[in-house]
Every structure is written in C-alpha cells, then in structure tokens.
Amino acid sequence: SVGAGLPRWSDLRESLVTTLEDKAVGLDPQDARAIRGKVEAIKRQESHWTAFKILEESLGATTYRETVKKAFSGAATVEVPNTYKALWRLGIRGLLTLNLDRLVTRAHSEYRPGTVLAEFNGKEVSRLRGLLNGHQPFVGNLHGVSEDTKSWVLTQQSLSALLQDA
C-alpha cells in the first residue's frame, strides 16, 4: 500500500496527531496546554493500539473517523501495486490483509474479472471460517475497510473484543 502512496500505520498515527495539534490552535491557553499534553503522551506511546484509542477519545469520534477516511481517500483510484496482482497470480485462494485500503480486493478484480470474491472484515472472521476450507476466493480485511468505520479494528479495546469472541 505504501507503493500506492497510502499511509502506513505510523503515517496514519502521525496524521491523527497533526489533526489533534491543529485542534489546539486558537483555544484558550489552558485547553491548548491540555491538548499538547495529550499529544506528548501519544508520541511517547509505543503501542499503536493504545495511541489510536487516545487519539479517538481526544479528537472525538467524528474528527477521528473523518481523518482516517481522508488518509485513505485515494485508495479507490490509485493504481493497484503489482505486488498485490502477483499474489493472485501465485494461485492463492485467499488472503488476509492488515490494510484498510481494499487494494487486495481491487487486484483480484483486475486479475480475475467476473469471479465472485468473498470479502469480510476482522469483526466477521469467526463467522466465516468455512471460507478457509472452501473453494471460493476470499479476502479478509482484518483491520476492517476505510469506508466502513464500524469494521475498524484499530484500538486495543476493539482487538480485545475480537480475541474474547470464542
């Protein structure tokens, strides 16, 4: 995805941090200081999972969602990297991806036009285990897809909820 000009997790995190920093501009000094304190805490945070949760809470749900969506807004129109097309040429039946951009799905559509692809998100994985043993090609978007905010698995809380699902 980086080859297509889309952000890595660290780039997305930095974009969200910048949005939070921008939020402090024009606020009264006490509120601005509080936001700068959160920014410093986020920058010191080693875990992306934890940092994304703090960013979600600090930015507010709407700003957080819109910033993430904006970061991936070009995913529907950028050229699909050859790496993704090469994976499908290997004859694989399915792929699990950690990216939000759906480029793997687009690569499949270009490589096998007209072939139905089962696509699911991380929160649906446990329900669709049958695909792993079947014949239908599939893509599992383990972190979700950028267009569907309810599918996102970006925070420790959302990951923990999945891991607790027997």
Side-chain angles (χ1 to χ4, degrees):
S1 297
V2 173
L6 297 171
R8 293 174 290 214
W9 293 109
S10 57
D11 299 329
L12 178 59
R13 179 175 167 170
E14 186 56 40
S15 177
L16 288 161
V17 166
T18 299
T19 301
L20 184 57
E21 288 172 327
D22 292 347
K23 190 175 177 178
V25 175
L27 294 179
D28 68 70
Q30 185 176 351
D31 291 340
R33 192 169 29 259
I35 288 177
R36 284 193 297 275
K38 287 180 182 179
V39 165
E40 290 309 312
I42 293 164
K43 287 181 177 180
R44 287 190 307 270
Q45 181 55 244
E46 291 183 26
S47 166
H48 285 316
W49 298 104
T50 303
F52 278 95
K53 182 60 178 173
I54 297 168
L55 283 159
E56 181 181 37
E57 292 169 349
S58 301
L59 287 168
T62 301
T63 302
Y64 176 80
R65 286 191 306 258
E66 293 308 312
T67 303
V68 173
K69 284 181 180 181
K70 182 179 177 186
F72 289 96
S73 62
T77 57
V78 296
E79 185 170 336
V80 175
N82 286 327
T83 306
Y84 290 133
K85 296 174 191 176
L87 287 169
W88 290 114
R89 282 194 301 270
L90 288 173
I92 62 173
R93 198 175 39 75
L95 191 74
L96 301 175
T97 179
L98 299 174
N99 298 330
L100 293 172
D101 54 40
R102 299 183 80 202
L103 291 177
V104 170
T105 300
R106 289 186 49 216
H108 181 272
S109 296
E110 290 179 17
Y111 180 65
R112 296 181 183 154
T115 303
V116 176
L117 177 72
E119 188 176 16
F120 58 91
N121 299 321
K123 293 182 177 182
E124 302 166 333
V125 166
S126 64
R127 290 190 301 110
L128 300 170
R129 278 183 265 193
L131 285 174
L132 297 175
N133 299 319
H135 299 295
Q136 184 177 9
F138 67 89
V139 169
N141 301 292
L142 298 180
H143 281 287
V145 294
S146 61
E147 306 89 354
D148 181 5
T149 60
K150 298 247 187 246
S151 73
W152 294 354
V153 181
L154 302 177
T155 65
Q156 186 62 52
Q157 288 78 356
S158 57
L159 176 63
S160 294
L162 283 179
L163 294 175
Q164 290 173 9
D165 182 350

